[in-house]
Amino acid sequence: MNANKIKSLICAVRRRRTNQKLTFICVHLRSFAFSFTFVLLLTPPLHAAEWSGNIALQSRYFPQAPLPQNTEQYNNYLSISAEPEFYHGWDNDNQSLTFTPFIRIDQYDKERTHGDIRELAWQKVFNNWELKAGISKVYWGVTESQHLVDVINQTDAVENIDGEDKLGQPMIQASFEKDWGTVDVFVLPGFRERTFSDIKGRPRFYPYVDASQAQYESSNKARNIDYALRWFHMIGDWEIGIAHFKGTSRDPVYLPGLNNGQPVIIPFYPQMNQTSLDAQATTEDWLWKLEVISRDWLDERFLALTAGLEYTFIGVMDTDADLGFVAEYLYDNRNKNITSFFENDIMLGLRLAMNDEQSSEALLGFIVDADTQETFVSLEASQRLGDSWKLELEIRSFQRVASSSLLQTLKKDGFVQIDIGYFF
Amino acid sequence: MKHSIILNLTLPLIIAFNAYAETAEEKGLAIAKEADLRDSGFNDSIANMTMELKNKQGKTSIREVRVKTLEVKGDGDKGLSIFNKPNDIKGTASLTYSHALKPDEQWLYLPELKRVKRISSKSKSGPFMGSEFAYEDISSQEIEKYSYKYIKDETLNGIDTFVIERYPQYKHSGYTRQVVWINKQEYRPEKTVFYDRKNSLLKTLHFSGYKQYLDKYWRADEMHMTNHQTGKSTLLSWRDYKFKTGLTDKDFNRNSLKRAK
């Protein structure tokens, strides 16, 4: 994409204050009603229906004062979340309905106060194939530091910055099992926009992202129908997946804009064609992992990859604990003006699993930019308390942020997060 | 003709001589083979497992797992475990292709991320769900997993048993040896004593409440493991055993792992 095209796009940004969220809720309600009616029509005998899930209280503490230009941010944010799951199976569990709503209420951030239908899907298993229809979640990939090939679901970025929380995606998925591998075909009607913190939220960029002004390359906007195809096979110690995705990019590019005369960032969702490969070799001691994507968007084709390995020491120092080492290399050759944090980075990680009654575990990771030494530090630790409670600790921090870096406005937003969850 | 008569006469003699000269190792192996033979042909099974973990202070916690097993001829069985309790791991499932001497192949399904992870399964000696059972204690028992030695006959709680020792052949096993009391009549284990890598007494496992299924397969309702080194114990109970339910290879792959309930 050349400068003129970007300029014309910015000019084309209309000050729509129309509430896109309403559209989503409508879409969701409609698909909910559809699925529900569908299920009622099938009139299954209710014998395997059950609820499970969790409710959690979260505190996020930001030790550093916000950037001076972020006058509306705070140091401590409390929030509460709930994610119940309803599962009902019948027809000898060859058919099932899963419904997983999610809600979070945040003390200050109105965008982080949000709800989503993570799953509302009907599934049927036939002899050599499976069919799924509704809102659901799909995971592709093998690496730990970033998830390049995982493109079906949008990231619920207000939940966390690790990209592992996803929004429910409307889909029809057919999965065929053959001797030569598993083939998945996806039709994805209805695009989900990424979530972004509002002006009071942390962590976030400066200026804040005004999601209500989101722009699309496709004239169908969020109604564009996307397609994906994936082949997956296990050959000896190898697992290989090759996939192609055609449609609206889940990653936006960010354009400068205005809201009431104040600067904002506007997300722009281009169309893309992405071909990907993911592979893992599992030997006795080592895991070897590779994810490669080739993406064609914005008049350029670029390549990005994550390649790494993992080694685990079993029963360290005569205990039951396992200690794992993870190392990954992250590469990306996209146009430097467009967002990527990981163009030449190294991730080093340490994973400790105590294998105790409380399932205590911790993961410490560093992602270091090989050129600037900019470092992202992450610690995740968790432990079960009693039978139904779980305590989770998370620390994220940005170190040695270069003045020219995309992370420049995030550098004060390192935080310590504590979650206490009740599981039922 | 003459030749074959001689053969017919000498063959029983050779067999008799061999039986007489059978070494303790041969007798141990023969007992293991008989036990294996009596337990083969079940094809597949489904059962619910409950574990009650008890620490030194007597505080307990509960684990619940649904276990599906597919018998594999000439190799370790395939297993699908669906975790139901504790609540925070509800919906997590693991798929294992077990092997006697090679590391097992193992996949883990994480429902929160919808992610299937192939994991390194070199370690069969680690604790299963924080209990006193190691993975290798509850995975499929293949003849090749051990070498054997017959020790003696003994009456255990009124039951006539063979006492054999078995020595793990898998190099990452957590044990040097196990002493097993095998019921002479039914060829099922009644008690196992485990010795750790330093050959110190580690654990004792008692089997109780045996029931016979399909007029052939004996399964213990309860398996009680006591760790002598830590003072902790685990009571593992089996319920709702079903055999020959028609499970096939298709029920033990990545797609079935993802939708396991």
Side-chain angles (χ1 to χ4, degrees), chain B residues 60-152:
Chain B
T60 59
S61 66
I62 299 291
R63 307 280 183 271
E64 270 179 31
V65 192
R66 188 165 165 79
V67 182
K68 298 183 181 183
T69 308
L70 182 71
E71 192 180 21
V72 179
K73 300 245 154 56
D75 200 350
D77 296 342
K78 293 182 179 180
L80 188 65
S81 300
I82 304 138
F83 302 99
N84 196 35
K85 273 199 170 106
N87 290 334
D88 64 298
I89 59 162
K90 192 170 188 163
T92 305
S94 78
L95 173 67
T96 307
Y97 295 174
S98 62
H99 302 294
L101 303 178
K102 291 189 296 172
D104 296 345
E105 294 165 75
Q106 200 165 50
W107 294 262
L108 197 62
Y109 173 65
L110 306 165
E112 190 62 23
L113 299 175
K114 305 276 170 208
R115 181 176 181 179
V116 174
K117 251 178 138 169
R118 171 88 193 261
I119 55 175
S120 166
S121 54
K122 181 174 83 175
S123 166
K124 302 181 186 183
S125 60
F128 178 71
M129 299 180 84
S131 76
E132 297 314 307
F133 285 85
Y135 284 91
E136 62 185 312
D137 302 342
I138 50 172
S139 64
S140 87
Q141 298 295 318
E142 305 305 313
I143 292 173
E144 300 77 23
K145 279 190 170 177
Y146 308 93
S147 65
Y148 303 85
K149 190 178 178 182
Y150 165 78
I151 305 295
K152 60 179 176 186

Side-chain angles (χ1 to χ4, degrees), chain B residues 51-252:
Chain B
M51 289 195 296
E52 190 186 60
L53 282 53
K54 194 182 269 184
N55 70 12
K56 225 173 178 173
Q57 290 73 40
K59 201 172 157 285
T60 59
S61 66
I62 299 291
R63 307 280 183 271
E64 270 179 31
V65 192
R66 188 165 165 79
V67 182
K68 298 183 181 183
T69 308
L70 182 71
E71 192 180 21
V72 179
K73 300 245 154 56
D75 200 350
D77 296 342
K78 293 182 179 180
L80 188 65
S81 300
I82 304 138
F83 302 99
N84 196 35
K85 273 199 170 106
N87 290 334
D88 64 298
I89 59 162
K90 192 170 188 163
T92 305
S94 78
L95 173 67
T96 307
Y97 295 174
S98 62
H99 302 294
L101 303 178
K102 291 189 296 172
D104 296 345
E105 294 165 75
Q106 200 165 50
W107 294 262
L108 197 62
Y109 173 65
L110 306 165
E112 190 62 23
L113 299 175
K114 305 276 170 208
R115 181 176 181 179
V116 174
K117 251 178 138 169
R118 171 88 193 261
I119 55 175
S120 166
S121 54
K122 181 174 83 175
S123 166
K124 302 181 186 183
S125 60
F128 178 71
M129 299 180 84
S131 76
E132 297 314 307
F133 285 85
Y135 284 91
E136 62 185 312
D137 302 342
I138 50 172
S139 64
S140 87
Q141 298 295 318
E142 305 305 313
I143 292 173
E144 300 77 23
K145 279 190 170 177
Y146 308 93
S147 65
Y148 303 85
K149 190 178 178 182
Y150 165 78
I151 305 295
K152 60 179 176 186
D153 284 6
E154 196 175 278
T155 306
L156 179 77
N157 305 325
I159 302 165
D160 285 337
T161 62
F162 299 114
V163 183
I164 63 166
E165 272 197 351
R166 54 185 195 188
Y167 313 94
Q169 298 299 293
Y170 180 63
K171 63 179 169 181
H172 302 294
S173 170
Y175 311 113
T176 45
R177 64 189 171 106
Q178 300 172 5
V179 184
V180 192
W181 281 255
I182 292 175
N183 185 312
K184 271 188 170 178
Q185 197 172 348
E186 304 296 349
Y187 281 84
R188 60 189 194 208
E190 301 288 346
K191 176 183 164 184
T192 307
V193 178
F194 300 82
Y195 293 84
D196 68 11
R197 289 196 182 105
K198 294 177 187 126
N199 204 16
S200 308
L201 174 65
L202 179 62
K203 304 187 290 193
T204 301
L205 173 62
H206 286 280
F207 297 82
S208 59
Y210 266 107
K211 284 201 187 96
Q212 197 173 25
Y213 297 86
L214 305 182
D215 291 330
K216 183 171 180 191
Y217 309 105
W218 288 100
R219 292 289 181 276
D221 272 356
E222 293 194 339
M223 296 159 71
H224 193 226
M225 184 76 91
T226 307
N227 187 319
H228 304 293
Q229 294 181 0
T230 63
K232 294 196 239 178
S233 66
T234 300
L235 177 63
L236 194 160
S237 322
W238 293 98
R239 276 178 294 117
D240 312 321
Y241 257 117
K242 287 190 198 92
F243 289 86
K244 294 193 173 160
T245 65
L247 295 176
T248 65
D249 276 324
K250 270 187 284 186
D251 299 296
F252 295 85

Side-chain angles (χ1 to χ4, degrees), chain A residues 50 52 83 85 87 119 123 125 127-128 130 137 139 142-144 164 175 177 182 232 234 237 239 280 282 284-285 314 318 320 351 355-357 384 387-388 390 423-424, chain B residues 53 55 60-63 84 86-90 97 103 105 107 112-115 117-120 122-123 125 127 129-130 171-172 198 232 250 253-256 259 261:
Chain A
E50 52 182 292
S52 58
E83 189 170 16
E85 179 183 305
Y87 172 84
E119 256 189 301
Q123 184 170 32
V125 183
N127 196 21
N128 281 312
E130 297 174 29
K137 205 153 75 166
Y139 186 92
V142 292
T143 59
E144 303 300 322
E164 291 192 348
S175 183
E177 279 175 36
T182 305
F232 182 87
M234 299 190 290
D237 292 333
E239 305 200 324
Q280 179 176 322
T282 308
E284 190 165 322
D285 295 309
I314 308 295
D318 274 335
D320 289 329
R351 190 202 308 274
N355 294 319
D356 57 355
E357 216 181 297
R384 181 166 44 247
D387 282 337
S388 304
K390 193 174 177 182
F423 291 78
F424 55 95
Chain B
L53 282 53
N55 70 12
T60 59
S61 66
I62 299 291
R63 307 280 183 271
N84 196 35
N87 290 334
D88 64 298
I89 59 162
K90 192 170 188 163
Y97 295 174
E105 294 165 75
W107 294 262
E112 190 62 23
L113 299 175
K114 305 276 170 208
R115 181 176 181 179
K117 251 178 138 169
R118 171 88 193 261
I119 55 175
S120 166
K122 181 174 83 175
S123 166
S125 60
M129 299 180 84
K171 63 179 169 181
H172 302 294
K198 294 177 187 126
K232 294 196 239 178
K250 270 187 284 186
N253 62 27
R254 280 178 71 117
N255 267 8
S256 47
R259 54 162 198 266
K261 288 283 176 184

Side-chain angles (χ1 to χ4, degrees), chain A residues 401-422:
Chain A
V401 177
S403 56
S404 60
S405 167
L406 289 162
L407 297 176
Q408 183 59 30
T409 63
L410 264 182
K411 67 180 179 188
K412 302 280 188 196
D413 283 357
F415 62 87
V416 180
Q417 172 184 313
I418 292 172
D419 270 280
I420 176 137
Y422 174 76

